[in-house]
Amino acid sequence: MTKSTAPWARPQKSSETAPRNKPLLIRKGHVIDPRNHVDAVRDVLIQGRHIERVARDIKAPPNAEILDAAHLIVTPGLIDIHVHLREPGQEEKETIATGTAAAAMGGFAAVACMPNTVPPLDNVSQIQFVTMKAESEGYVRVYPVGAISKGQLGKELTEFGAMVRAGCVAISDDGVPVANAKMFRRALEYARTFGLTVIDHCEEPDLAAGGVMNEGRLAAVLGLKGIPRQAEYIMVARDIALCELTGGALHLAHMSTKESVALIRQAKKRGLPVTAETAPHYFTLTEEAVADYNTLAKMNPPLRTAEDRAAVLEGLSDGTIDVIASDHAPHTAAQKSREFDFAPFGIIGLETTLPLVLTELVQKKVLSLSNAIKALTDSPARALNLPGGHLAPGAPADVTLIDLKAKHTAGTFASKSQNSPFIGRTFQGRAAATLVDGDVVMSEGRLLRKPPLMNG
Amino acid sequence: MKLKHKDLLGLAHLAPEEIDFMLHTAVPFKKLFTRSIKKVPPLRGKTVAMLFYEPSTRTRTSFELAAARLSADVLSLAVSSSSVQKGETLMDTARNLEAMKIDFIVLRHSVSGAPELLARGVRAHVVNAGDGNHEHPTQGLLDLFTIREKKKKIQGLQVAIIGDILHSRVARSNIWGLTKLGARVRLCGPATLIPAEMKTAFGNNVDVTYNMKDALDGADVAYVLRLQLERQQENLFPSLREYHDFYGLDAKKLSWAKKDCLVMHPGPMNRGVEIDSSVADGPQSVILDQVTNGIAVRMAVLYLLAGSSEGAPPRAARNITGSESSSGRTG
């Protein structure tokens, strides 16, 4: 398929004025909807902003728009629950507009954005700022994650209830995790009041302090200060213990070590309300990627060893790790071209996550296509109790179309920042189109601005 | 023979023959020092910039003398250590130097890997004069030169390196150089100052011991590292007294080594802490030979790099420039 002939590639202008109430029929795609056990060629009918039904050979209603999805995979809109949009405060790295553009390009219909902005998302007005900005400028759905503590200082709880009313979907002190065990216990307990999941970035701050890469042989040779794997899994163990104590829902972000995977596997066996996530770089790369002081492979948690990578793959394959999220962390070229110690942690990932999942997991038979889609739709939706992630009648009309055959090489990104270690890497498979609320927001690598939401 | 490398960033990536070649080249340069006129012309018209982001007297003076004795023009840039993070970025400074048509940049920097970053971005030859805890290749070379001068060989020697291995770029360059040339290295110090991985990270010719007697028993060389006194505040050892008691090299401990064991130190020394005056100034000490040899070795390095891949384009800069802003611990 070529760009020019894509049947749904409406010119931008007409999309802006297109009537929203026109039914849309996605025809003859291979529908994969893990929650509803669909894995077959089906038609998907969208009415307004909702899925009307998924069935074989649906007769097109009069005046329906038709998308021919033959030879494409049709899935619930992908959801990335770990994204740094950097707005407010660090707009030189990313904005809600550019970050959601990157999401749409990568096939994501929704993102949950982390609260470590400047200032952090720790009160109602900050949450409102994000949701309003996302409604007016965003290409995809944005679910703000509120901070656990005021100023992310780990001292006083934020107003979870008020933030939930304003649109916050989960809480986390991502980037500056809560060191104090009692404080984290209170967060897990109080979050239960509102059915909120607590997301933790597991890092024992004193052990990790000053570290810039995985502690081990390579760090010893390079003369770089290591972050021991224990800094992660000590906190995984602590969090699981506190989850057991409180019964609060816990989501463990970006898991990178084999011990963490083992601890989570055990916790799940005991029936604790724990979900876990990893990012594509942890199942694709190892610490060797920083061997020439490549700051584009500097991230936190750091890339680990081949053994850890294997354990992460196994955790994905047996379902210990539920969710794949990008941990999209944009930084400017100037910041990333500094000395290794001075360059900030993090890489962008919204536009490489699906290609890496398809290339590294599906093609290499770590996950079935259906389970890979599950880790990008159903599981993240369940982890944070989000509305999408499936295609049952009445579900939001968020849909992703995937071309499994498309070969492409990562070059430049829609994200405002370009800090990716995957530049130059060749992938097979990518998003062909992203639909949010029944509107095509991306088609064949072109962004189509969605009309502003009418009623939120 | 010509060097294949544009830069000297470390000994880790050099072949044993290349190290050997550099040591060999330094021999005639050392002979110059006994003449009344110590200057030769090979780098006439070339400019060597000394870019030091950390205070250093010995290394800097040694490089300056080496360059001067090769007839190069020397430009010394004193960059205060506080400006490493806040001031102009390393790459901007380097590009400015390059715009002034500098041929060599000798870089001393507190961050491991800074010379690699620099070398990727500039055409000039980059010489690492010590980066963070990573490498100090010319120190490694001058130590090898000194050992070979005294022992006539490196192969088969037992070398004890004593002290703060964790934070020592001198130790890393020496480990690479010594093991590549066939010596066996014993690392000795308190366990807090020796990463557990050191034994395996550098190949099979490294041993780790926390006991000085084991380290020095039968040793041909006792290489004492400088102890950064502020490490005590990081709880890496409880007191200087205890450190000196267990790891300070004195006459008694030295007696455990071979009778002709060389005593070496990269300087500057903390007398009475990691080394006692009785051995530092004793007959087995070659510490001042190290200083003399440093100039000859650095002359050889500059000379060989000048003839290596002159005018070669820089390896593609991986990162793109842009305006500077603060880098927080985010993401």
Side-chain angles (χ1 to χ4, degrees), chain A residues 79-165:
Chain A
I79 303 171
D80 187 342
I81 59 171
H82 201 129
V83 169
H84 298 270
L85 291 178
R86 303 294 189 217
E87 191 175 357
Q90 295 177 304
E91 290 85 354
E92 76 280 8
K93 300 181 180 193
E94 194 80 282
T95 63
I96 289 168
T98 58
T100 55
M105 294 293 275
F108 289 96
V111 297
C113 63
M114 287 296 160
N116 61 336
T117 49
V118 185
L121 309 182
D122 64 353
N123 62 54
V124 170
S125 55
Q126 292 297 334
I127 300 285
Q128 282 171 341
F129 169 81
V130 170
T131 50
M132 284 168 62
K133 199 96 188 195
E135 279 180 21
S136 60
E137 297 175 12
Y139 286 89
V140 306
R141 259 176 234 287
V142 175
Y143 294 116
V145 175
I148 292 174
S149 62
K150 289 180 187 161
Q152 293 198 300
L153 298 173
K155 296 270 193 288
E156 295 173 71
L157 289 183
T158 58
E159 294 176 331
F160 295 3
M163 291 197 297
V164 167
R165 279 201 192 128

Side-chain angles (χ1 to χ4, degrees), chain A residues 177-455:
Chain A
V178 178
N180 183 311
K182 185 170 153 194
M183 178 75 185
F184 198 73
R185 171 204 178 149
R186 292 289 178 246
L188 276 167
E189 275 174 344
Y190 189 59
R192 291 194 70 172
T193 319
F194 307 101
L196 277 178
T197 301
V198 180
I199 304 171
D200 199 21
H201 162 135
C202 296
E203 181 183 3
E204 209 291 315
D206 289 310
L207 270 180
V212 293
M213 69 169 291
N214 182 45
E215 182 165 321
R217 282 169 59 169
L218 188 60
V221 169
L222 294 175
L224 290 174
K225 190 159 165 45
I227 300 174
R229 51 202 306 101
Q230 285 76 6
E232 176 175 295
Y233 75 77
I234 283 174
M235 292 309 247
V236 170
R238 178 200 76 169
D239 288 1
I240 288 171
L242 294 175
C243 169
E244 189 160 30
L245 176 66
T246 60
L250 171 68
H251 178 75
L252 299 165
H254 45 55
M255 290 292 101
S256 71
T257 72
K258 66 170 188 211
E259 292 86 354
S260 302
V261 177
L263 285 163
I264 296 160
R265 187 175 289 129
Q266 218 176 48
K268 287 190 162 185
K269 263 189 199 140
R270 285 188 286 146
L272 297 176
V274 176
T275 52
E277 140 207 322
T278 195
H281 32 282
Y282 302 116
F283 64 68
T284 307
L285 302 175
T286 66
E287 61 177 357
E288 292 298 327
V290 302
D292 61 349
Y293 300 97
N294 183 359
T295 57
L296 291 179
K298 179 180 174 183
M299 57 201 65
N300 190 15
L303 294 170
R304 308 278 185 187
T305 64
E307 216 179 317
D308 294 299
R309 178 172 169 256
V312 167
L313 287 170
E314 200 189 325
L316 282 165
S317 129
D318 72 8
T320 299
I321 297 176
D322 313 77
V323 175
I324 297 166
S326 67
D327 196 5
H328 180 82
H331 293 290
T332 64
Q335 290 168 322
K336 277 292 195 181
S337 41
R338 304 222 42 196
E339 296 89 326
F340 200 87
D341 284 1
F342 302 155
F345 291 103
I347 66 167
I348 57 168
L350 280 164
E351 294 161 79
T352 48
T353 292
L354 178 63
L356 282 165
V357 166
L358 296 173
T359 309
E360 294 295 321
L361 300 181
V362 178
Q363 275 158 41
K364 296 185 179 169
K365 307 219 181 299
V366 176
L367 288 183
S368 65
L369 182 57
S370 171
N371 280 340
I373 296 304
K374 187 178 174 192
L376 294 166
T377 56
D378 181 36
S379 298
R382 283 182 195 274
L384 304 190
N385 298 313
L386 303 175
H390 65 102
L391 297 174
D398 293 0
V399 179
T400 300
L401 273 58
I402 298 170
D403 181 350
L404 290 179
K405 301 246 158 58
K407 283 216 165 94
H408 57 111
T409 303
T412 53
F413 300 101
S415 168
K416 199 164 190 178
S417 293
Q418 308 290 309
N419 53 306
S420 169
F422 298 116
I423 291 169
R425 204 179 176 100
T426 297
F427 306 101
Q428 189 180 334
R430 67 171 158 195
T434 309
L435 281 74
V436 179
D437 264 337
D439 290 314
V440 179
V441 297
M442 186 281 286
S443 161
E444 290 296 317
R446 281 193 299 149
L447 290 166
L448 306 162
R449 171 73 66 180
K450 71 167 178 172
L453 295 184
M454 311 302 274
N455 302 307

Side-chain angles (χ1 to χ4, degrees), chain A residues 93 116 203 216-217 220-224 292-295 300 331 333-339 341-342 344-345, chain B residues 84-85 90 109 111-113 117 120 133-134 172 197 200-201 318-320 323-331:
Chain A
K93 300 181 180 193
N116 61 336
E203 181 183 3
R217 282 169 59 169
V221 169
L222 294 175
L224 290 174
D292 61 349
Y293 300 97
N294 183 359
T295 57
N300 190 15
H331 293 290
Q335 290 168 322
K336 277 292 195 181
S337 41
R338 304 222 42 196
E339 296 89 326
D341 284 1
F342 302 155
F345 291 103
Chain B
V84 173
Q85 276 224 60
L90 174 64
H109 199 290
V111 176
S112 301
L117 174 68
R120 275 198 288 266
N133 303 334
H134 177 222
R172 285 176 179 78
E197 306 80 20
T200 51
R318 182 166 35 225
N319 298 315
I320 319 133
S323 64
E324 191 44 39
S325 52
S326 71
S327 57
R329 190 184 166 85
T330 48

Side-chain angles (χ1 to χ4, degrees), chain A residues 163-178:
Chain A
M163 291 197 297
V164 167
R165 279 201 192 128
C168 156
V169 299
I171 53 160
S172 177
D173 272 358
D174 187 62
V176 267
V178 178

Side-chain angles (χ1 to χ4, degrees), chain B residues 155-207:
Chain B
Q155 178 80 37
L157 294 182
Q158 298 283 346
V159 179
I161 302 180
I162 300 149
D164 183 358
I165 311 292
L166 176 62
H167 299 98
S168 179
R169 51 195 174 215
V170 174
R172 285 176 179 78
S173 285
N174 265 290
I175 295 169
W176 284 123
L178 286 163
T179 55
K180 279 170 193 274
L181 297 190
R184 196 162 178 91
V185 175
R186 306 148 168 198
L187 304 175
C188 183
T192 41
L193 296 179
I194 306 183
E197 306 80 20
M198 290 303 277
K199 187 171 163 39
T200 51
F202 295 82
N204 297 325
N205 285 314
V206 177
D207 295 305

